[in-house]
Amino acid sequence: MNTIITSKILITVLIPMITGLLVMVSGKKPNLRDSWSTLGAILTFVSVLSFLPVIQGGDQLQCTLFELYPGVAVKLNLDPLGVIFALVASFLWILASLYCVGYMRGLDEHAQTRFYVCYAVSVGAAMGAAFAGNLFTLYLFYEVVSIFTYPLVMHHQDEEGYAGAKKYIVYLMFTSKAFLLPAMIIVYVLAGTLDFNSASITAGIFPADVDHTMVVIAYLLCLFGFAKAGIMPLHNWLPDAMVAPTPVSALLHAVVVVKVGVFSICRVMLSIFGTNILADTGMGLLTAYFVSFTILTASVIALTKTNLKARLAYSTVSQLSYIVLGVAMLTPNSITGGLVHIANHAFAKITLFFAAGCIFVASGKKDISEMGGLGKRMPFTMVAFGLASLGMIGVPPVGGFVTKWYLALGTIDLHNWILLTVLLVSSLLNAGYFVPVVLKAFFGKPLPADEGLTSSLEGKPLIMFMVVPLVITGALSVLVGVFPNLFLDLINLMVKS
Amino acid sequence: MENYLILNTLNFPILSTLLILPVVGAIVAMFLRSETALKYWGLVVTLITALVSLPLWTNFDQTTAKYQFAELRHWFPALDLEYVIGVDGISVLLVLLTTLVMPLCVLCSWTYIKTRWKEFIIVTLLMETAMIGVFVSMNTVLFYIFWEGMLVPMYLMIAIWGGARKDYASIKFFLYTFTGSIFLLVAIIAMYITTGTFFIPELMDHTYSFTFQVWVFLACAIGFAIKMPMFPFHTWLPAAHVEAPVSGSVILASILLKMGGYGFLRFCLPMAPAATLYFVPLLLVMSLISIIVGGYLALGQTDIKKLIAYSSVGHMGFVTLGIFLLNDAGIKGAMLQMLNHGVTTGALFILIGIIYERTHSREIADNSKLGMFMPIYVTFLGLFSLSSLAFPGTNSFVSEFLVLFGAFDKYPVVAAISILGAILAAAYMLRLLQKMVWDDSDGHAPHGEDGEARKRKLIDCNMREFVQLAFLTVFVFWIGLNPTPLLDIMDSSVAHLLHQIDAGSHLQDAVEQGSGHHAMLENAGTWIKNLF
């Protein structure tokens, strides 16, 4: 593996930030403003794509911007893990920016300029987190995501919005100050640097004779510090943050925000602590059991929710923990399963949220009980929804199957029947809360008020802005299951090293 | 005496110029009549002073801990008194902070001060001389003269241009700081009687008995702790801040509070090292209390100025915490924290002044929902609030990180407790920000004002205000992302200071008496560790 020093990787982080600026100055011209968003998204994706061959060749790209103190710098380093996250997030941003146009104009939302600025900067910060080369940089961008998604969560500026946003920022800021900051300082005291070990996922960055007690403390602080990952008991902000407009929920709370949290946990486990020390201290398995609780409990709660977005929110909490579970099992197979779920979950969950938002804009329905017969009026939307839910359940050949396959292999490698049972039970629960929605839409009886209405709801131009992206993401959630090799090969580069 | 100094090699006596320029400016101001002329004259003088101070940055020799740009003249032979001034890595940045902040003080008063501009300019300029004098004096008598000299202009500033309770606040400020100064004077005289010199570096090199050190330390520390201000001597600060005019608040926050930290570093640590070690546990505990009490009280304020004033108590707690960790990261972090607090809190007070001029209220509730009307103002408010809560990438993060790193390295328990202060900082700043920018209390404008009336009143920042804030923004990011030049400037002097403490700490009785406390702290560390 070679590390190539280049300032080119800076571009990927800068494009969304510049997009934010351009959106801000062209706030008075909606068409120009919205084109900037889409253009920025496309350019971001292209820039990530241009780095892909180098990463696939086994090399890494690096760029140090500012050195604050020896071992503490703003430093970008692109490796396979980072490129997976960056690819997924930047690609979905393109579709989301189109979807936003339909949603925000369809509902005639206020303060759209603020919305697009914050949206772009949040994605840019997520790119920064994906590219982060050390813990400080990761922390920096993690916090930028928190701050810039805050106005998005309280976008409606009503009582519910303020309450949700307050909870959101309190959870995220409290955990990052109380846990993440000390964790970072302990890591620095122990290792003398915050730079990731991007060459190996086993070794970590600590010297051999490090005090294991302090390492465990630092690890636990990290695990709880990244509250964006939604691991129970610090998941509570997530359902409340769903008061945000749906495109926010879709991109930010299915892809960017929560994934930054999960990505950060994976990154810290693999590149700071390393699998060796996690295995030696028993922290790996402990984490696995710990997140298993989240997987099961969140699924059960999802069953009880009748509001579609709330159900999706709890499904997100549950699914995110699969990723952490995979990495925490510390076997090559399970790590593969966990990391590939970053992509699989993203495509499927964004489809589900897009569908929920599209249903709301087109028909004004939020509750699952009102959605009877909707499949006939919104066939594309509901088919995409159905495909994505198959992915969440883990039915072959949809993306989620690949995840569960590797996770199951991991549990078998460990001979751990408890975790295998968790996987199976959770899949049943997933089916339990997704299948009824699809069944209701296609075979359920419409509400008395909707009786006899058969006209398509998907025909209007603005609605098309939403339907097209969600059909694409729905199709992709199947494709990543049929052709999983792009992501699997990238993960192999890490796991094999 | 010359061994301690590197005499000034610039082609003009830079430090004396810095001291004289504002005084000359003040004298000329006496003869100016028009208000506009006075305003511009004040601005020009402070700007020239700032320009003149810049060679301190460019020509500073980082490799030595000696006092540079020094000037030495005989002054009062009978008492062996010399006029001796110079700067080292600890004071040079504070001098620069002072000269750079003063033009902003004139600018932010431009429309805020409505009466007695002549007096205002004179007071401001005299204040500048006194503050620079404190940082450059190498002689305790000179130091004390400037130290006391600051008191009167600051008192006048609060008492003449202050708010409704200005009499109470100005008297309280005067009494508190004056009490502290008296103890300081006693220490200065006591040291002169023991050593026969007023020259600070010689006083540092003299080895005093442990008992003497304890008394000197206590006498100085009370003076500096009041100035800082440290809990429980902090109560004058909120009163003074709330009543002071905007420039008074900026001077107080940005420069005056730094004198306490500077005093600790210049007097207590090098002159009474054994006593310092003895008192470390006490001062660490007081710092922790300051951090937590300051943050906690800030959380409950409805007056914006009071909130920022209490946040200063918390921030200054981090400064004393860093200083009394007595390690490299801690002291550098404390030094940097002083500069950062000067930049960030100075900016926050300027922001409060801007909004006060528009709404004539400092209540958060009266200044809510600004996001709609004043986007530029709100952007700056957000930026400096984030800086104040030590957001990564901004200046305060670096200093907080250094102090916490120094603390974790030495006393993990202390560090763990101080994290609480960091959490509180995030809580009160975000609360303030949320309420001022959006406000969730109800859907109506304050006091039932209609939107149009509010819109007329809430005009966004003008060019003059923008320039002040933009200037400070540069420092937020510059220090936040590239603090190395600043840390390098401190390097030799901090190393020298640590060496002085080390050398002085070998007093046998001190080690014996001090060990009890240290063992206690270290035991607490191992005890916590054993829990896991």
Side-chain angles (χ1 to χ4, degrees), chain A residues 449-474:
Chain A
D450 295 340
E451 206 85 58
L453 290 175
T454 49
S455 60
S456 167
L457 286 168
E458 293 173 333
K460 285 188 226 146
L462 272 180
I463 303 293
M464 291 299 285
F465 263 102
M466 303 162 79
V467 174
V468 172
L470 77 87
V471 167
I472 296 176
T473 55

Side-chain angles (χ1 to χ4, degrees), chain A residues 18 57 70 115 164 196 210 214 263 296 342-343 350 353 356 404 414 456 482-483 488:
Chain A
I18 295 168
F115 174 88
F196 293 140
V210 68
M214 289 311 278
F263 172 83
L296 294 177
I342 291 182
I350 203 169
F353 270 112
K404 292 206 173 152
L414 286 175
S456 167
V482 183
F483 304 105
L488 288 181

Side-chain angles (χ1 to χ4, degrees), chain B residues 358-435:
Chain B
R358 285 157 174 74
T359 63
H360 302 287
S361 168
R362 286 183 304 259
E363 286 295 313
I364 298 175
D366 296 339
N367 295 311
S368 57
K369 285 183 178 295
L370 298 179
M372 256 192 281
F373 307 107
M374 305 174 74
I376 299 175
Y377 178 85
V378 160
T379 309
F380 279 119
L381 182 70
L383 185 96
F384 288 109
S385 303
L386 289 183
S387 158
S388 178
L389 66 84
F391 194 81
T394 64
N395 52 356
S396 311
F397 178 81
V398 184
S399 47
E400 201 176 289
F401 180 85
L402 284 178
V403 172
L404 287 173
F405 165 55
F408 260 107
D409 217 17
K410 218 163 174 180
Y411 314 112
V413 182
V414 170
I417 298 172
S418 63
I419 291 284
L420 209 57
I423 299 169
L424 284 170
Y428 61 71
M429 283 324 290
L430 287 173
R431 169 177 164 269
L432 175 74
L433 198 56
Q434 201 269 340
K435 285 197 188 295

Side-chain angles (χ1 to χ4, degrees), chain B residues 22-145:
Chain B
V23 177
V24 173
I27 293 170
V28 174
M30 286 179 196
F31 302 101
L32 293 176
R33 276 165 191 273
S34 102
E35 197 176 281
T36 325
L38 278 160
K39 283 179 188 174
Y40 280 102
W41 177 246
L43 184 62
V44 166
V45 173
T46 47
L47 276 176
I48 291 176
T49 315
L51 280 178
V52 169
S53 70
L54 290 181
L56 290 180
W57 171 260
T58 50
N59 292 27
F60 190 82
D61 181 2
Q62 303 177 359
T63 56
T64 171
K66 288 183 179 177
Y67 300 88
Q68 313 180 20
F69 307 102
E71 290 164 46
L72 177 62
R73 284 189 184 78
H74 293 289
W75 176 26
F76 201 157
L79 267 175
D80 228 5
L81 255 183
E82 262 108 15
Y83 169 81
V84 50
I85 51 178
V87 287
D88 68 347
I90 291 172
S91 53
V92 67
L93 295 171
L94 293 167
V95 174
L96 285 164
L97 178 73
T98 310
T99 56
L100 292 179
V101 163
M102 288 315 283
L104 300 182
C105 288
V106 178
L107 272 179
C108 71
S109 307
W110 212 256
T111 49
Y112 188 100
I113 299 290
K114 302 243 184 318
T115 53
R116 307 178 110 179
W117 260 92
K118 178 179 283 188
E119 288 86 344
F120 180 76
I121 290 296
I122 292 171
V123 163
T124 307
L125 291 175
L126 289 180
M127 191 75 202
E128 178 163 19
T129 293
M131 291 187 297
I132 296 172
V134 166
F135 293 129
V136 300
S137 297
M138 298 277 50
N139 174 314
T140 46
V141 173
L142 212 52
F143 177 89
Y144 190 75
I145 291 171

Side-chain angles (χ1 to χ4, degrees), chain A residues 159-287:
Chain A
E159 218 163 288
E160 215 187 357
Y162 283 126
K166 193 172 181 181
K167 199 167 187 180
Y168 178 77
I169 203 76
V170 166
Y171 265 78
L172 296 188
M173 268 291 166
F174 174 79
T175 49
S176 74
K177 281 273 175 198
F179 305 136
L180 213 46
L181 183 64
M184 190 160 69
I185 288 160
I186 295 176
V187 167
Y188 187 68
V189 170
L190 295 179
T193 177
L194 292 175
D195 283 357
F196 293 140
N197 180 347
S198 42
S200 149
I201 60 165
T202 52
I205 62 166
F206 297 109
D209 57 342
V210 68
D211 178 357
H212 276 199
T213 328
M214 289 311 278
V215 172
V216 167
I217 294 176
Y219 172 73
L220 291 175
L221 287 170
C222 280
L223 190 64
F224 291 107
F226 290 111
K228 286 202 182 87
I231 296 175
M232 285 181 177
L234 296 170
H235 69 290
N236 237 324
W237 60 271
L238 211 159
D240 287 27
M242 292 297 161
V243 297
T246 307
V248 175
S249 312
L251 181 69
L252 299 181
H253 292 130
V255 188
V256 173
V257 174
V258 291
K259 285 292 156 57
V260 165
V262 175
F263 172 83
S264 303
I265 289 184
C266 298
R267 172 63 92 195
V268 163
M269 286 170 92
L270 298 175
S271 305
I272 290 273
F273 293 94
T275 52
N276 286 346
I277 216 163
L278 291 178
D280 288 350
T281 52
M283 279 298 117
L285 213 53
L286 187 81
T287 312

